[in-house]
Structure formats: structure tokens, C-alpha cells
Amino acid sequence: MSHVDEERQDYPEIVIETEVGDDHVGTLTFERGKYNYLSAELLGRLAEGFEELSARGARAIVLVGRGRHFCAGADFASNDTAAPGAASSPLYEMVPRLFARSLPVVAALQGASVGGGLGLALAADFRVAGASSRFAANFSRLGFSQGFALSYTLPRLVGMQRASELLMTGRTVRGEEAFAMGLCDRLAADEAIVDEAHALAAGIAAAAPLAVHAIRERLQGDVVAEVKRALERDWHDQTTLKLTADFREGIAAARERRDPVFTGS
């Protein structure tokens, strides 16, 4: 049985769908425009979806971004992002809720997971990608520093050296390289990403649920507190760098689809 929750917004519509199968696997599918851009509202609705699926008897969750891309991050051309110098980010205030969930999540990562979209992918416990999937922590190419707690989650996943290179260069990583470095856990045919994610989730859901909960809780440790601390540090650095000429150049270059020319000012 599928539950569909739709809400019309000025830019753009958010669609959330949740479903629980006989195998105790819950599926949460989200859609927000062509690129699944992040917003505080979207993250809040995802957290609510995780809680709903837990209450409906799911034992593991598959997270799917419907459309061409899993999530292209924040849209700096919209009004969704906080202004430079703002005291806090409504979007970042929602992030800890995603990590505070009780169930393991497998993210099906088709297309691009970029910037904050990569942060959302790393909020999951496991990731399944295809050869054409691509990942980028492209903050440095926009003239500012990482967010969405990637300063904590990315080194924890791939190690400090790999994380440093990805964050400092902002380069794009394709599916096979992502799999080799541990950025994703399974590599599937592009058309089978969701099916493979479901198979992984089903394997988890078939295990003893109380044991899975205890294992995950021990492995996660103080993840919510660590994420909150990382978000505070990230936001401080980002708000400072958003006031620079390099940030203005990075955003302009991204909009104009050209290479940025940074001056260090």
C-alpha cells in the first residue's frame, strides 16, 4: 500500500511517497523539481518520512530521489539558501533529524549527488550507485567551504586523505571510482540501482530487528552530537567565505557554466 503526500510550493513542488512491503522494507521516494534541489522543507519532510516508515513496521528503508539525479544540492539561484552573514541556516537545522532516525537507510544514487546532495547521500547508512552515477563535494569550486556536516561524515567514510582531496579539488567522482574508495557500498547497472538498494535493505530487514538496532546504535556512537558540532563549524566558515569576491565569482561561474577565476579575495 502506498501513501502519497504532495504539497505545492512556489519553487518547486515537493512530492514525498512512502511504502512498506511484505519484506519489511520501507521505500521513501522524494521529488523536488528537475534536480531535487535541497530545502529545509524537503529535509524536514524526509525526516518525517523516516519516522512514519518506522511506525508502519519497516525494518530498513530505501531512499530514492525520483528523476535524473538523486540530489544536486542547494540551488543558489533560489531563495532557499540563507543570506551571507545569517546567524543560522534553516536547512542545516533540519540535518540532525536525518541522523537521529532509528532505522538503517540505503540510498539509491542515480545521476548526481553534488554538494549538499552528497551530504544527504552520506546521511544514509549505505549507498548503491551505478557506473554513470557521479559525486562531487564541489564547494571549493564555488568559492566557499563544505557544509551538511561533510567535514565529519566524509572523512569517517573514506578516510582523511581521500576526503581532503575531494573537498579541496571539488572534482567529480564517477561510480566505479566511488565504489573503489568506499564512497558507495555496491555498484549496480544504472537501470538496477533501486533494485540493488532494495536487495541490500531486504537483507538487513531479514535479520533480527532488535539485534540490528543494537548493532547500529553502537556503531553510530554520538553521530548526532558530532553532526551538530560539524554543522556549527561549517556554518561559521561558510558565512565568512560567502562574503568574499571568490564566492561571488564561483556562483556566477556556475550559473554561466564556465570555469571560475579566483583571486583569493
Side-chain angles (χ1 to χ4, degrees):
M1 182 177 181
S2 177
H3 169 72
V4 180
D5 180 14
E6 299 185 5
E7 179 176 333
R8 174 69 63 181
Q9 298 203 347
D10 291 337
Y11 179 87
E13 178 186 27
I14 294 174
V15 178
I16 301 289
E17 298 178 6
T18 58
E19 183 177 0
V20 180
D22 293 337
D23 56 1
H24 300 290
V25 173
T27 301
L28 195 165
T29 303
F30 69 95
E31 182 179 6
R32 183 174 188 253
K34 183 177 179 181
Y35 299 102
N36 286 329
Y37 284 129
L38 293 174
S39 71
E41 175 70 11
L42 173 60
L43 294 186
R45 304 258 304 265
L46 291 179
E48 291 169 0
F50 291 154
E51 295 164 3
E52 176 199 331
L53 288 170
S54 178
R56 292 169 61 188
R59 297 180 182 177
I61 296 172
V62 176
L63 179 63
V64 180
R66 177 185 287 134
R68 183 177 178 184
H69 301 294
F70 175 73
C71 181
D75 180 13
F76 292 97
S78 76
N79 295 321
D80 290 335
T81 57
S88 64
S89 165
L91 192 151
Y92 283 3
E93 290 171 3
M94 293 291 106
V95 172
R97 289 185 61 190
L98 298 175
F99 288 87
R101 66 183 185 273
S102 60
L103 295 180
V105 171
V106 181
L109 304 175
Q110 83 289 354
S113 301
V114 177
L118 178 61
L120 177 60
L122 267 58
D125 298 80
F126 304 96
R127 284 147 293 280
V128 177
S132 68
S133 300
R134 58 187 189 275
F135 308 86
N138 65 334
F139 303 90
S140 65
R141 299 289 296 173
L142 297 173
F144 71 138
S145 56
Q146 68 276 2
F148 212 108
L150 279 165
S151 57
Y152 170 70
T153 59
L154 189 57
R156 190 169 184 250
L157 186 64
V158 301
M160 184 60 71
Q161 202 66 17
R162 289 282 196 184
S164 297
E165 187 233 339
L166 293 175
L167 288 168
M168 291 183 190
T169 65
R171 73 180 181 91
T172 297
V173 174
R174 297 282 178 172
E176 291 185 0
E177 184 182 4
F179 178 68
M181 70 170 62
L183 195 54
C184 63
D185 301 283
R186 292 190 181 178
L187 195 64
D190 289 334
E191 66 276 10
I193 293 173
V194 174
D195 290 341
E196 185 67 22
H198 189 105
L200 177 52
I204 297 169
L210 296 180
V212 169
H213 177 79
I215 292 166
R216 182 175 181 274
E217 188 174 57
R218 181 64 64 191
L219 293 176
Q220 291 288 295
D222 297 327
V223 62
V224 175
E226 292 292 346
V227 163
K228 288 180 178 178
R229 281 191 283 268
L231 288 167
E232 290 175 1
R233 293 191 296 266
D234 291 349
W235 183 245
H236 174 271
D237 293 342
Q238 284 189 329
T239 53
T240 299
L241 291 168
K242 281 182 178 180
L243 299 174
T244 66
D246 276 352
F247 177 72
R248 293 191 292 273
E249 165 62 12
I251 296 302
R255 290 173 177 167
E256 297 164 12
R257 299 182 180 275
R258 60 175 173 81
D259 290 334
V261 179
F262 295 124
T263 61
S265 61

